Amino acid sequence: MTQTNWSDKVNPVVRNLPPSGIRKFFDLVAETRGVISLGVGEPDFVTPWHIREACIYSLEKGYTMYTSNWGLLELREAVAADLARTYNVNYNPRNEILITVGVSEALDLAMRVLLQPGDEVLIPEPSYVSYAPCTTLAGGVPVFMPTGMENGFRISAEQVQASITPRTKVLLLCYPNNPTGAVMDREELAKIAEVAVANDLMVISDEIYDRLTYTGRHTCMSSLPGMRERTVLLNGFSKAYAMTGWRVGYAAGHPEIIGAMTKIHQYSMLCTSITAQMAALEALKNGQPGMRRMVEHYNRRRHLVVQSFKDMGLPCFEPGGAFYAFPQVTGTGLTSEEFAEQLLKQEQVALVPGNAFGGSGEGFVRVSYAASIDDLSEAFRRMTRFVRRCGVRPRVISAPVKISGSQSARIEGICQTI
């Protein structure tokens, strides 16, 4: 009897996909006791009570049925109103907005709708781990545009233009950026928009971190001249409202594109959970004060984390958005993976190696500061101890970092006492 090769039963496109660099690393985390994790891109806040209560109330009222494939009309109307109020960009909630199972589904749908086999997608790098695999699964070819500390991890219009070939179909943007925290100002984005229009490119703009912008004002890509119809705008509720587990996102764009995305959505997902949609509606209606408070906390932690890395002797780009720092670790003599693995084994602190986000991330690690001050403080004590063993000479912390109101705090004397 011939032995079956089960690997041959798997679609070769899927079989050849590399595993997520983040998931691969967190398999190691699961095997280690006493870990302080600064690796997961998830708020440490729970979803505000009034949002959870709206979900509970909807269940008590019997809202347990399917919704329209497009999502609840009232939620789509609230999304449209929010985009108009915040960015002065207008969408018809009936045929230009689709509610999805998180932004991840919206990204997958957009790729499958826009790409034909062999079409190229321009992706700034370092990049979120899903972008290249989603491109490949949709039949496209990812083309990376490297960035670094020297240019603030930002792409330029000239770099985009130089990367375009006759097969280029889509430009994929994510600002504020995961993993670097980089942001783009309106002038820079406007130049890139001109390149997109001149070369007839579609733009997928993942703006899930838009409300977590600390320097200047976020620019919505579809608000720029000529970009409303040319942009598939992706956003959701996970980061700004601490709703990662609810899995609610949305896509907004030209009705032909959003309608095509809805065709796939109706056959694969049917609709997003009605209870999650009711919670998202409450977030848009009444969640702004709570969201602003969370952003204030992240901003304080941002200053704490960047200064702490600099004080321990590791250069760190100052993020303008999201809740990640991306320090450079080459001074330790270790690769990104070596640094992350040895830090985990020796000091029980979990970070994500930068090369999980592409070749441009080598020499860096991603640190989430969506963690409590206590956890951040203890993690930095441990990291300073580790970095000192690697031969990096730390600086003495010279000034306190303000944490809240009239109080101030610092990672107290870590460089002096270890």
mmCIF file with all atom_site columns, all heavy atoms in Angstrom, residues 300-321:
data_model
loop_
_atom_site.group_PDB
_atom_site.id
_atom_site.type_symbol
_atom_site.label_atom_id
_atom_site.label_alt_id
_atom_site.label_comp_id
_atom_site.label_asym_id
_atom_site.label_entity_id
_atom_site.label_seq_id
_atom_site.pdbx_PDB_ins_code
_atom_site.Cartn_x
_atom_site.Cartn_y
_atom_site.Cartn_z
_atom_site.occupancy
_atom_site.B_iso_or_equiv
_atom_site.pdbx_formal_charge
_atom_site.auth_seq_id
_atom_site.auth_comp_id
_atom_site.auth_asym_id
_atom_site.auth_atom_id
_atom_site.pdbx_PDB_model_num
ATOM 1   N N   . ARG A 1 300 ? 2.261  58.922 28.023 1.00 0.00 ? 300 ARG A N   1
ATOM 2   C CA  . ARG A 1 300 ? 3.184  58.988 29.166 1.00 0.00 ? 300 ARG A CA  1
ATOM 3   C C   . ARG A 1 300 ? 4.153  57.802 29.145 1.00 0.00 ? 300 ARG A C   1
ATOM 4   O O   . ARG A 1 300 ? 5.355  57.948 29.393 1.00 0.00 ? 300 ARG A O   1
ATOM 5   C CB  . ARG A 1 300 ? 2.403  59.011 30.477 1.00 0.00 ? 300 ARG A CB  1
ATOM 6   C CG  . ARG A 1 300 ? 1.580  60.274 30.675 1.00 0.00 ? 300 ARG A CG  1
ATOM 7   C CD  . ARG A 1 300 ? 0.839  60.242 31.998 1.00 0.00 ? 300 ARG A CD  1
ATOM 8   N NE  . ARG A 1 300 ? -0.127 61.332 32.058 1.00 0.00 ? 300 ARG A NE  1
ATOM 9   C CZ  . ARG A 1 300 ? -1.424 61.179 32.244 1.00 0.00 ? 300 ARG A CZ  1
ATOM 10  N NH1 . ARG A 1 300 ? -1.928 59.974 32.400 1.00 0.00 ? 300 ARG A NH1 1
ATOM 11  N NH2 . ARG A 1 300 ? -2.238 62.221 32.304 1.00 0.00 ? 300 ARG A NH2 1
ATOM 12  N N   . ARG A 1 301 ? 3.604  56.628 28.855 1.00 0.00 ? 301 ARG A N   1
ATOM 13  C CA  . ARG A 1 301 ? 4.459  55.437 28.802 1.00 0.00 ? 301 ARG A CA  1
ATOM 14  C C   . ARG A 1 301 ? 5.455  55.539 27.658 1.00 0.00 ? 301 ARG A C   1
ATOM 15  O O   . ARG A 1 301 ? 6.592  55.061 27.765 1.00 0.00 ? 301 ARG A O   1
ATOM 16  C CB  . ARG A 1 301 ? 3.591  54.188 28.626 1.00 0.00 ? 301 ARG A CB  1
ATOM 17  C CG  . ARG A 1 301 ? 2.628  53.944 29.778 1.00 0.00 ? 301 ARG A CG  1
ATOM 18  C CD  . ARG A 1 301 ? 1.702  52.790 29.439 1.00 0.00 ? 301 ARG A CD  1
ATOM 19  N NE  . ARG A 1 301 ? 0.583  52.686 30.367 1.00 0.00 ? 301 ARG A NE  1
ATOM 20  C CZ  . ARG A 1 301 ? -0.364 51.773 30.271 1.00 0.00 ? 301 ARG A CZ  1
ATOM 21  N NH1 . ARG A 1 301 ? -0.335 50.885 29.291 1.00 0.00 ? 301 ARG A NH1 1
ATOM 22  N NH2 . ARG A 1 301 ? -1.350 51.743 31.144 1.00 0.00 ? 301 ARG A NH2 1
ATOM 23  N N   . ARG A 1 302 ? 5.041  56.138 26.550 1.00 0.00 ? 302 ARG A N   1
ATOM 24  C CA  . ARG A 1 302 ? 5.932  56.317 25.391 1.00 0.00 ? 302 ARG A CA  1
ATOM 25  C C   . ARG A 1 302 ? 7.187  57.068 25.812 1.00 0.00 ? 302 ARG A C   1
ATOM 26  O O   . ARG A 1 302 ? 8.318  56.652 25.498 1.00 0.00 ? 302 ARG A O   1
ATOM 27  C CB  . ARG A 1 302 ? 5.173  57.086 24.306 1.00 0.00 ? 302 ARG A CB  1
ATOM 28  C CG  . ARG A 1 302 ? 5.990  57.447 23.083 1.00 0.00 ? 302 ARG A CG  1
ATOM 29  C CD  . ARG A 1 302 ? 5.105  58.126 22.049 1.00 0.00 ? 302 ARG A CD  1
ATOM 30  N NE  . ARG A 1 302 ? 4.762  59.480 22.438 1.00 0.00 ? 302 ARG A NE  1
ATOM 31  C CZ  . ARG A 1 302 ? 5.340  60.578 21.943 1.00 0.00 ? 302 ARG A CZ  1
ATOM 32  N NH1 . ARG A 1 302 ? 6.300  60.462 21.034 1.00 0.00 ? 302 ARG A NH1 1
ATOM 33  N NH2 . ARG A 1 302 ? 4.958  61.772 22.324 1.00 0.00 ? 302 ARG A NH2 1
ATOM 34  N N   . HIS A 1 303 ? 7.016  58.177 26.500 1.00 0.00 ? 303 HIS A N   1
ATOM 35  C CA  . HIS A 1 303 ? 8.182  58.951 26.954 1.00 0.00 ? 303 HIS A CA  1
ATOM 36  C C   . HIS A 1 303 ? 9.049  58.123 27.904 1.00 0.00 ? 303 HIS A C   1
ATOM 37  O O   . HIS A 1 303 ? 10.281 58.141 27.811 1.00 0.00 ? 303 HIS A O   1
ATOM 38  C CB  . HIS A 1 303 ? 7.711  60.228 27.652 1.00 0.00 ? 303 HIS A CB  1
ATOM 39  C CG  . HIS A 1 303 ? 7.067  61.224 26.747 1.00 0.00 ? 303 HIS A CG  1
ATOM 40  N ND1 . HIS A 1 303 ? 7.728  61.808 25.683 1.00 0.00 ? 303 HIS A ND1 1
ATOM 41  C CD2 . HIS A 1 303 ? 5.805  61.740 26.731 1.00 0.00 ? 303 HIS A CD2 1
ATOM 42  C CE1 . HIS A 1 303 ? 6.916  62.639 25.058 1.00 0.00 ? 303 HIS A CE1 1
ATOM 43  N NE2 . HIS A 1 303 ? 5.745  62.617 25.671 1.00 0.00 ? 303 HIS A NE2 1
ATOM 44  N N   . LEU A 1 304 ? 8.407  57.411 28.804 1.00 0.00 ? 304 LEU A N   1
ATOM 45  C CA  . LEU A 1 304 ? 9.126  56.574 29.765 1.00 0.00 ? 304 LEU A CA  1
ATOM 46  C C   . LEU A 1 304 ? 9.978  55.531 29.067 1.00 0.00 ? 304 LEU A C   1
ATOM 47  O O   . LEU A 1 304 ? 11.165 55.355 29.364 1.00 0.00 ? 304 LEU A O   1
ATOM 48  C CB  . LEU A 1 304 ? 8.116  55.890 30.688 1.00 0.00 ? 304 LEU A CB  1
ATOM 49  C CG  . LEU A 1 304 ? 8.641  54.851 31.671 1.00 0.00 ? 304 LEU A CG  1
ATOM 50  C CD1 . LEU A 1 304 ? 9.310  55.536 32.850 1.00 0.00 ? 304 LEU A CD1 1
ATOM 51  C CD2 . LEU A 1 304 ? 7.517  53.957 32.167 1.00 0.00 ? 304 LEU A CD2 1
ATOM 52  N N   . VAL A 1 305 ? 9.393  54.849 28.079 1.00 0.00 ? 305 VAL A N   1
ATOM 53  C CA  . VAL A 1 305 ? 10.064 53.734 27.417 1.00 0.00 ? 305 VAL A CA  1
ATOM 54  C C   . VAL A 1 305 ? 11.220 54.220 26.547 1.00 0.00 ? 305 VAL A C   1
ATOM 55  O O   . VAL A 1 305 ? 12.331 53.671 26.598 1.00 0.00 ? 305 VAL A O   1
ATOM 56  C CB  . VAL A 1 305 ? 9.042  52.929 26.583 1.00 0.00 ? 305 VAL A CB  1
ATOM 57  C CG1 . VAL A 1 305 ? 9.738  52.003 25.599 1.00 0.00 ? 305 VAL A CG1 1
ATOM 58  C CG2 . VAL A 1 305 ? 8.127  52.142 27.501 1.00 0.00 ? 305 VAL A CG2 1
ATOM 59  N N   . VAL A 1 306 ? 10.996 55.261 25.751 1.00 0.00 ? 306 VAL A N   1
ATOM 60  C CA  . VAL A 1 306 ? 12.057 55.759 24.872 1.00 0.00 ? 306 VAL A CA  1
ATOM 61  C C   . VAL A 1 306 ? 13.248 56.247 25.691 1.00 0.00 ? 306 VAL A C   1
ATOM 62  O O   . VAL A 1 306 ? 14.401 55.914 25.397 1.00 0.00 ? 306 VAL A O   1
ATOM 63  C CB  . VAL A 1 306 ? 11.519 56.886 23.963 1.00 0.00 ? 306 VAL A CB  1
ATOM 64  C CG1 . VAL A 1 306 ? 12.665 57.560 23.214 1.00 0.00 ? 306 VAL A CG1 1
ATOM 65  C CG2 . VAL A 1 306 ? 10.506 56.328 22.965 1.00 0.00 ? 306 VAL A CG2 1
ATOM 66  N N   . GLN A 1 307 ? 12.972 57.024 26.741 1.00 0.00 ? 307 GLN A N   1
ATOM 67  C CA  . GLN A 1 307 ? 14.065 57.529 27.570 1.00 0.00 ? 307 GLN A CA  1
ATOM 68  C C   . GLN A 1 307 ? 14.797 56.394 28.269 1.00 0.00 ? 307 GLN A C   1
ATOM 69  O O   . GLN A 1 307 ? 16.026 56.416 28.399 1.00 0.00 ? 307 GLN A O   1
ATOM 70  C CB  . GLN A 1 307 ? 13.528 58.525 28.599 1.00 0.00 ? 307 GLN A CB  1
ATOM 71  C CG  . GLN A 1 307 ? 14.618 59.252 29.370 1.00 0.00 ? 307 GLN A CG  1
ATOM 72  C CD  . GLN A 1 307 ? 15.534 60.054 28.451 1.00 0.00 ? 307 GLN A CD  1
ATOM 73  O OE1 . GLN A 1 307 ? 15.064 60.814 27.603 1.00 0.00 ? 307 GLN A OE1 1
ATOM 74  N NE2 . GLN A 1 307 ? 16.842 59.856 28.592 1.00 0.00 ? 307 GLN A NE2 1
ATOM 75  N N   . SER A 1 308 ? 14.058 55.394 28.694 1.00 0.00 ? 308 SER A N   1
ATOM 76  C CA  . SER A 1 308 ? 14.681 54.270 29.400 1.00 0.00 ? 308 SER A CA  1
ATOM 77  C C   . SER A 1 308 ? 15.621 53.495 28.496 1.00 0.00 ? 308 SER A C   1
ATOM 78  O O   . SER A 1 308 ? 16.699 53.070 28.925 1.00 0.00 ? 308 SER A O   1
ATOM 79  C CB  . SER A 1 308 ? 13.600 53.350 29.973 1.00 0.00 ? 308 SER A CB  1
ATOM 80  O OG  . SER A 1 308 ? 12.812 54.031 30.924 1.00 0.00 ? 308 SER A OG  1
ATOM 81  N N   . PHE A 1 309 ? 15.246 53.291 27.241 1.00 0.00 ? 309 PHE A N   1
ATOM 82  C CA  . PHE A 1 309 ? 16.148 52.613 26.312 1.00 0.00 ? 309 PHE A CA  1
ATOM 83  C C   . PHE A 1 309 ? 17.410 53.443 26.080 1.00 0.00 ? 309 PHE A C   1
ATOM 84  O O   . PHE A 1 309 ? 18.529 52.915 26.057 1.00 0.00 ? 309 PHE A O   1
ATOM 85  C CB  . PHE A 1 309 ? 15.449 52.334 24.979 1.00 0.00 ? 309 PHE A CB  1
ATOM 86  C CG  . PHE A 1 309 ? 14.670 51.046 24.964 1.00 0.00 ? 309 PHE A CG  1
ATOM 87  C CD1 . PHE A 1 309 ? 13.307 51.048 24.732 1.00 0.00 ? 309 PHE A CD1 1
ATOM 88  C CD2 . PHE A 1 309 ? 15.299 49.842 25.176 1.00 0.00 ? 309 PHE A CD2 1
ATOM 89  C CE1 . PHE A 1 309 ? 12.583 49.859 24.727 1.00 0.00 ? 309 PHE A CE1 1
ATOM 90  C CE2 . PHE A 1 309 ? 14.599 48.645 25.176 1.00 0.00 ? 309 PHE A CE2 1
ATOM 91  C CZ  . PHE A 1 309 ? 13.234 48.668 24.948 1.00 0.00 ? 309 PHE A CZ  1
ATOM 92  N N   . LYS A 1 310 ? 17.229 54.726 25.918 1.00 0.00 ? 310 LYS A N   1
ATOM 93  C CA  . LYS A 1 310 ? 18.396 55.581 25.698 1.00 0.00 ? 310 LYS A CA  1
ATOM 94  C C   . LYS A 1 310 ? 19.313 55.570 26.910 1.00 0.00 ? 310 LYS A C   1
ATOM 95  O O   . LYS A 1 310 ? 20.530 55.531 26.776 1.00 0.00 ? 310 LYS A O   1
ATOM 96  C CB  . LYS A 1 310 ? 17.939 57.001 25.378 1.00 0.00 ? 310 LYS A CB  1
ATOM 97  C CG  . LYS A 1 310 ? 17.267 57.141 24.014 1.00 0.00 ? 310 LYS A CG  1
ATOM 98  C CD  . LYS A 1 310 ? 16.791 58.565 23.762 1.00 0.00 ? 310 LYS A CD  1
ATOM 99  C CE  . LYS A 1 310 ? 16.146 58.682 22.384 1.00 0.00 ? 310 LYS A CE  1
ATOM 100 N NZ  . LYS A 1 310 ? 15.627 60.055 22.138 1.00 0.00 ? 310 LYS A NZ  1
ATOM 101 N N   . ASP A 1 311 ? 18.716 55.564 28.098 1.00 0.00 ? 311 ASP A N   1
ATOM 102 C CA  . ASP A 1 311 ? 19.516 55.574 29.317 1.00 0.00 ? 311 ASP A CA  1
ATOM 103 C C   . ASP A 1 311 ? 20.268 54.268 29.527 1.00 0.00 ? 311 ASP A C   1
ATOM 104 O O   . ASP A 1 311 ? 21.318 54.255 30.163 1.00 0.00 ? 311 ASP A O   1
ATOM 105 C CB  . ASP A 1 311 ? 18.638 55.879 30.529 1.00 0.00 ? 311 ASP A CB  1
ATOM 106 C CG  . ASP A 1 311 ? 18.235 57.336 30.606 1.00 0.00 ? 311 ASP A CG  1
ATOM 107 O OD1 . ASP A 1 311 ? 19.009 58.198 30.160 1.00 0.00 ? 311 ASP A OD1 1
ATOM 108 O OD2 . ASP A 1 311 ? 17.128 57.625 31.098 1.00 0.00 ? 311 ASP A OD2 1
ATOM 109 N N   . MET A 1 312 ? 19.740 53.155 29.004 1.00 0.00 ? 312 MET A N   1
ATOM 110 C CA  . MET A 1 312 ? 20.477 51.897 29.146 1.00 0.00 ? 312 MET A CA  1
ATOM 111 C C   . MET A 1 312 ? 21.500 51.714 28.031 1.00 0.00 ? 312 MET A C   1
ATOM 112 O O   . MET A 1 312 ? 22.228 50.735 28.014 1.00 0.00 ? 312 MET A O   1
ATOM 113 C CB  . MET A 1 312 ? 19.520 50.703 29.221 1.00 0.00 ? 312 MET A CB  1
ATOM 114 C CG  . MET A 1 312 ? 18.874 50.303 27.926 1.00 0.00 ? 312 MET A CG  1
ATOM 115 S SD  . MET A 1 312 ? 18.011 48.696 28.062 1.00 0.00 ? 312 MET A SD  1
ATOM 116 C CE  . MET A 1 312 ? 16.675 49.101 29.165 1.00 0.00 ? 312 MET A CE  1
ATOM 117 N N   . GLY A 1 313 ? 21.548 52.680 27.082 1.00 0.00 ? 313 GLY A N   1
ATOM 118 C CA  . GLY A 1 313 ? 22.573 52.640 26.047 1.00 0.00 ? 313 GLY A CA  1
ATOM 119 C C   . GLY A 1 313 ? 22.122 52.102 24.714 1.00 0.00 ? 313 GLY A C   1
ATOM 120 O O   . GLY A 1 313 ? 22.951 51.863 23.836 1.00 0.00 ? 313 GLY A O   1
ATOM 121 N N   . LEU A 1 314 ? 20.801 51.929 24.519 1.00 0.00 ? 314 LEU A N   1
ATOM 122 C CA  . LEU A 1 314 ? 20.284 51.433 23.250 1.00 0.00 ? 314 LEU A CA  1
ATOM 123 C C   . LEU A 1 314 ? 19.588 52.567 22.501 1.00 0.00 ? 314 LEU A C   1
ATOM 124 O O   . LEU A 1 314 ? 18.631 53.164 23.015 1.00 0.00 ? 314 LEU A O   1
ATOM 125 C CB  . LEU A 1 314 ? 19.288 50.292 23.470 1.00 0.00 ? 314 LEU A CB  1
ATOM 126 C CG  . LEU A 1 314 ? 19.836 49.021 24.126 1.00 0.00 ? 314 LEU A CG  1
ATOM 127 C CD1 . LEU A 1 314 ? 18.733 47.973 24.246 1.00 0.00 ? 314 LEU A CD1 1
ATOM 128 C CD2 . LEU A 1 314 ? 21.026 48.460 23.353 1.00 0.00 ? 314 LEU A CD2 1
ATOM 129 N N   . PRO A 1 315 ? 20.045 52.902 21.286 1.00 0.00 ? 315 PRO A N   1
ATOM 130 C CA  . PRO A 1 315 ? 19.372 53.952 20.512 1.00 0.00 ? 315 PRO A CA  1
ATOM 131 C C   . PRO A 1 315 ? 17.913 53.568 20.261 1.00 0.00 ? 315 PRO A C   1
ATOM 132 O O   . PRO A 1 315 ? 17.603 52.411 19.988 1.00 0.00 ? 315 PRO A O   1
ATOM 133 C CB  . PRO A 1 315 ? 20.156 53.987 19.196 1.00 0.00 ? 315 PRO A CB  1
ATOM 134 C CG  . PRO A 1 315 ? 21.462 53.324 19.490 1.00 0.00 ? 315 PRO A CG  1
ATOM 135 C CD  . PRO A 1 315 ? 21.178 52.302 20.552 1.00 0.00 ? 315 PRO A CD  1
ATOM 136 N N   . CYS A 1 316 ? 17.023 54.547 20.372 1.00 0.00 ? 316 CYS A N   1
ATOM 137 C CA  . CYS A 1 316 ? 15.599 54.252 20.184 1.00 0.00 ? 316 CYS A CA  1
ATOM 138 C C   . CYS A 1 316 ? 14.925 55.396 19.446 1.00 0.00 ? 316 CYS A C   1
ATOM 139 O O   . CYS A 1 316 ? 14.906 56.536 19.925 1.00 0.00 ? 316 CYS A O   1
ATOM 140 C CB  . CYS A 1 316 ? 14.913 54.013 21.532 1.00 0.00 ? 316 CYS A CB  1
ATOM 141 S SG  . CYS A 1 316 ? 13.201 53.442 21.370 1.00 0.00 ? 316 CYS A SG  1
ATOM 142 N N   . PHE A 1 317 ? 14.388 55.085 18.285 1.00 0.00 ? 317 PHE A N   1
ATOM 143 C CA  . PHE A 1 317 ? 13.571 56.027 17.524 1.00 0.00 ? 317 PHE A CA  1
ATOM 144 C C   . PHE A 1 317 ? 12.349 56.417 18.347 1.00 0.00 ? 317 PHE A C   1
ATOM 145 O O   . PHE A 1 317 ? 11.734 55.569 19.001 1.00 0.00 ? 317 PHE A O   1
ATOM 146 C CB  . PHE A 1 317 ? 13.146 55.325 16.220 1.00 0.00 ? 317 PHE A CB  1
ATOM 147 C CG  . PHE A 1 317 ? 12.033 55.994 15.481 1.00 0.00 ? 317 PHE A CG  1
ATOM 148 C CD1 . PHE A 1 317 ? 12.263 57.143 14.743 1.00 0.00 ? 317 PHE A CD1 1
ATOM 149 C CD2 . PHE A 1 317 ? 10.747 55.466 15.506 1.00 0.00 ? 317 PHE A CD2 1
ATOM 150 C CE1 . PHE A 1 317 ? 11.228 57.747 14.047 1.00 0.00 ? 317 PHE A CE1 1
ATOM 151 C CE2 . PHE A 1 317 ? 9.718  56.060 14.820 1.00 0.00 ? 317 PHE A CE2 1
ATOM 152 C CZ  . PHE A 1 317 ? 9.957  57.210 14.086 1.00 0.00 ? 317 PHE A CZ  1
ATOM 153 N N   . GLU A 1 318 ? 12.011 57.703 18.353 1.00 0.00 ? 318 GLU A N   1
ATOM 154 C CA  . GLU A 1 318 ? 10.848 58.143 19.126 1.00 0.00 ? 318 GLU A CA  1
ATOM 155 C C   . GLU A 1 318 ? 9.580  57.965 18.311 1.00 0.00 ? 318 GLU A C   1
ATOM 156 O O   . GLU A 1 318 ? 9.361  58.656 17.315 1.00 0.00 ? 318 GLU A O   1
ATOM 157 C CB  . GLU A 1 318 ? 10.987 59.612 19.538 1.00 0.00 ? 318 GLU A CB  1
ATOM 158 C CG  . GLU A 1 318 ? 9.823  60.077 20.389 1.00 0.00 ? 318 GLU A CG  1
ATOM 159 C CD  . GLU A 1 318 ? 10.064 61.416 21.046 1.00 0.00 ? 318 GLU A CD  1
ATOM 160 O OE1 . GLU A 1 318 ? 11.242 61.766 21.289 1.00 0.00 ? 318 GLU A OE1 1
ATOM 161 O OE2 . GLU A 1 318 ? 9.088  62.118 21.311 1.00 0.00 ? 318 GLU A OE2 1
ATOM 162 N N   . PRO A 1 319 ? 8.713  57.025 18.709 1.00 0.00 ? 319 PRO A N   1
ATOM 163 C CA  . PRO A 1 319 ? 7.495  56.772 17.937 1.00 0.00 ? 319 PRO A CA  1
ATOM 164 C C   . PRO A 1 319 ? 6.519  57.931 18.053 1.00 0.00 ? 319 PRO A C   1
ATOM 165 O O   . PRO A 1 319 ? 6.364  58.518 19.127 1.00 0.00 ? 319 PRO A O   1
ATOM 166 C CB  . PRO A 1 319 ? 6.927  55.508 18.577 1.00 0.00 ? 319 PRO A CB  1
ATOM 167 C CG  . PRO A 1 319 ? 7.456  55.523 19.981 1.00 0.00 ? 319 PRO A CG  1
ATOM 168 C CD  . PRO A 1 319 ? 8.801  56.181 19.902 1.00 0.00 ? 319 PRO A CD  1
ATOM 169 N N   . GLY A 1 320 ? 5.849  58.246 16.961 1.00 0.00 ? 320 GLY A N   1
ATOM 170 C CA  . GLY A 1 320 ? 4.850  59.310 16.975 1.00 0.00 ? 320 GLY A CA  1
ATOM 171 C C   . GLY A 1 320 ? 3.441  58.807 17.118 1.00 0.00 ? 320 GLY A C   1
ATOM 172 O O   . GLY A 1 320 ? 2.495  59.595 17.255 1.00 0.00 ? 320 GLY A O   1
ATOM 173 N N   . GLY A 1 321 ? 3.280  57.472 17.077 1.00 0.00 ? 321 GLY A N   1
ATOM 174 C CA  . GLY A 1 321 ? 1.943  56.906 17.176 1.00 0.00 ? 321 GLY A CA  1
ATOM 175 C C   . GLY A 1 321 ? 1.999  55.433 17.539 1.00 0.00 ? 321 GLY A C   1
ATOM 176 O O   . GLY A 1 321 ? 3.064  54.876 17.790 1.00 0.00 ? 321 GLY A O   1
#
